[in-house]
Amino acid sequence: MFLCFIPCICFFFFTPSSGFVESYARLADFINVYFYMQLILSQLLNLINSGDHLATGDRGGRVVLFERIDVRSHGSRKDLEKQDYPTIRHPEFRYKTEFQSHEPEFDYLKSLEIEEKINKIKWCQTANGALFLLSTNDKTIKYWKVQEKKVKKISEMNVDASKAVQNGSIASSSVTPRRCLPNGGCYEGHDSHSSNDLSFPPGGFPSLHLPVVVTCQETSLTARCRKIYAHAHDYHINSISNNSDGETFISADDLRINLWNLEISNQSFNIVDVKPANMEDLTEVITSAEFHPSHCNMLAYSSSKGSIRLIDLRQSALCDKHSKMFEEREAPGSRSFFTEIIASISDIRFAKDGRHILSRDYMTLKLWDINMESAPVATFQIHEYLRPKLCDLYENDSIFDKFDCCLSGDGLRVATGSYGNLFRVFGCIPGSNEAATLEASKNPTRRQVQTPSRPARSLSSFARVVRRGAESPGVDANGNSFDFTTKLLHLAWHPTENSIACAAMNSLYMYYA
């Protein structure tokens, strides 16, 4: 069964005219995209994912939130389930709010400039209708609360302000003379002859009441920073992941992983430390880390050598030893100067059931079974066509690009980005040959191109490629792009539906099947 992904009608473009940014220069060439996974605690302690909100972050330090509106217009989910016929609709998201998460800083002790760009965003559990999320730049993590608040206004006083004179402002036009007293002090009082700002009725006011703050029916969205977790990482933060217990989260840099409590911002516990006594002995660094979706004591982290380590927090306070390590053996005679560079894992994701781990390196996308450490159960070729161009990629630093990966909520499909604003979707069921390549573009016109299957040690090959027309620059007949200036690094899969959000340059695209 093939899924045909169709671009949604509406696209969100981050342009100055839409009010999201002030200049293209500050916007950045990437946007982090994360679907909102609402965590609801039921009797069986299951996590129910809604996917009704979407969060993005950019190089300017801003976080922009979108909310889904098509569910509201078609009734509740329970009402739709009671219908005898299926309702066909594509997901529609609208702009909700935005806020400035991080500002540029300067570390005077290290003479280091800290950029405001957002590296990661993670949603947390909701409470009382408010949204909570974690956002981080290279050094500082912040815990945000976004909620609707009723607007409060000051009730009118019984002083007729319309009769105030001079500049139309009482505060700016009133002048209080200073009178010197015999003891050397000064008396500040109103002079009836010199001050003519307010008009009083004859005999004065019978009752003068103080202004009262009243709550209106109008509401406004406000974002408030509840906690700031700073000064815990010497190197750039590359990952944050919240725990299934709803109380803790981890943050990882190149050499350390720290465990935090959401309510304690001035203290963290170092649970993984790979820094050697002599930095010359350093052979690998941490590239990504994520908690298990259901077991709060388990987490996995990847390294620049292409290995994934699974650790158990119950073993010891400092997890120097891993419980399992997933690493594919190197083929004899295939080692070269670029072997370790292209083997570095840029992103890992747990499947919803917690049984599988998806990893992305520069060349491939791999699916691992946590019960089998020797080799992945599936390998999907992404950039194999670029192997002859590794020297050129090394010279222009494209070989160090870090692509995200994601899984569908049912765990049947995986997706990742590529060059030319392309992203690829694969079916990971044993024996499936489902594969599709799509381009994130404003032009919804696409056509299918049949490509022969490639012999590879994987469960799927390119049986079908969906791409833009042949006029696309830098894209060959097989859907492979050689345009290294445009790349799709970040994407997210809806937790319950076959919908994908992806960020290309300064635009956000939605695809559904």
Side-chain angles (χ1 to χ4, degrees), residues 103-127:
E103 298 284 351
E105 302 175 11
F106 189 82
D107 190 343
Y108 293 96
L109 295 178
K110 299 181 180 180
S111 297
L112 179 65
E113 184 178 358
I114 303 174
E115 296 182 356
E116 66 270 31
K117 73 179 182 69
I118 305 297
N119 289 343
K120 293 290 181 179
I121 300 176
K122 290 292 182 181
W123 291 97
C124 302
Q125 291 186 10
T126 61

Side-chain angles (χ1 to χ4, degrees), residues 256-269:
R256 292 184 177 90
I257 299 179
N258 294 332
L259 178 66
W260 300 83
N261 189 294
L262 285 172
E263 300 301 327
I264 303 175
S265 59
N266 58 356
Q267 185 180 19
S268 65
F269 297 95

Side-chain angles (χ1 to χ4, degrees), residues 344-359:
S344 177
I345 297 176
S346 59
D347 189 28
I348 59 171
R349 299 288 175 91
F350 270 102
K352 187 178 180 181
D353 57 4
R355 174 69 183 272
H356 296 88
I357 300 176
L358 183 67
S359 66

Side-chain angles (χ1 to χ4, degrees), residues 213-350:
V213 178
V214 296
T215 303
C216 305
Q217 296 298 326
E218 301 177 6
T219 59
S220 63
L221 279 170
T222 59
R224 182 172 65 91
C225 183
R226 294 194 62 202
K227 299 288 183 180
I228 298 179
Y229 315 92
H231 311 298
H233 289 277
D234 294 331
Y235 302 92
H236 291 178
I237 299 174
N238 54 48
S239 300
I240 54 174
S241 178
N242 44 358
N243 201 347
S244 58
D245 61 7
E247 298 179 356
T248 58
F249 71 95
I250 57 172
S251 59
D253 61 18
D254 292 342
L255 299 180
R256 292 184 177 90
I257 299 179
N258 294 332
L259 178 66
W260 300 83
N261 189 294
L262 285 172
E263 300 301 327
I264 303 175
S265 59
N266 58 356
Q267 185 180 19
S268 65
F269 297 95
N270 179 232
I271 56 177
V272 176
D273 190 350
V274 299
K275 183 178 181 180
N278 187 358
M279 287 297 290
E280 295 180 357
D281 299 331
L282 182 66
T283 58
E284 60 180 340
V285 297
I286 300 171
T287 57
S288 182
E290 185 172 4
F291 260 119
H292 192 278
S294 56
H295 299 307
C296 60
N297 58 289
M298 296 177 60
L299 64 93
Y301 69 93
S302 60
S303 73
S304 57
K305 279 193 171 182
S307 62
I308 302 174
R309 291 175 173 85
L310 190 68
I311 61 176
D312 193 338
L313 298 178
R314 298 172 298 182
Q315 291 181 350
S316 62
L318 184 61
C319 302
D320 294 329
K321 296 182 180 180
H322 53 269
S323 57
K324 291 184 178 181
M325 186 172 73
F326 308 92
E327 187 175 18
E328 189 174 17
R329 293 183 179 180
E330 183 180 325
S334 61
R335 188 170 185 82
S336 66
F337 174 77
F338 305 104
T339 299
E340 289 191 3
I341 300 177
I342 62 177
S344 177
I345 297 176
S346 59
D347 189 28
I348 59 171
R349 299 288 175 91
F350 270 102

Side-chain angles (χ1 to χ4, degrees), residues 419-434:
Y419 293 106
N421 289 342
L422 301 177
F423 68 96
R424 309 190 181 219
V425 183
F426 301 92
C428 53
I429 304 177
S432 172
N433 60 350
E434 178 183 359

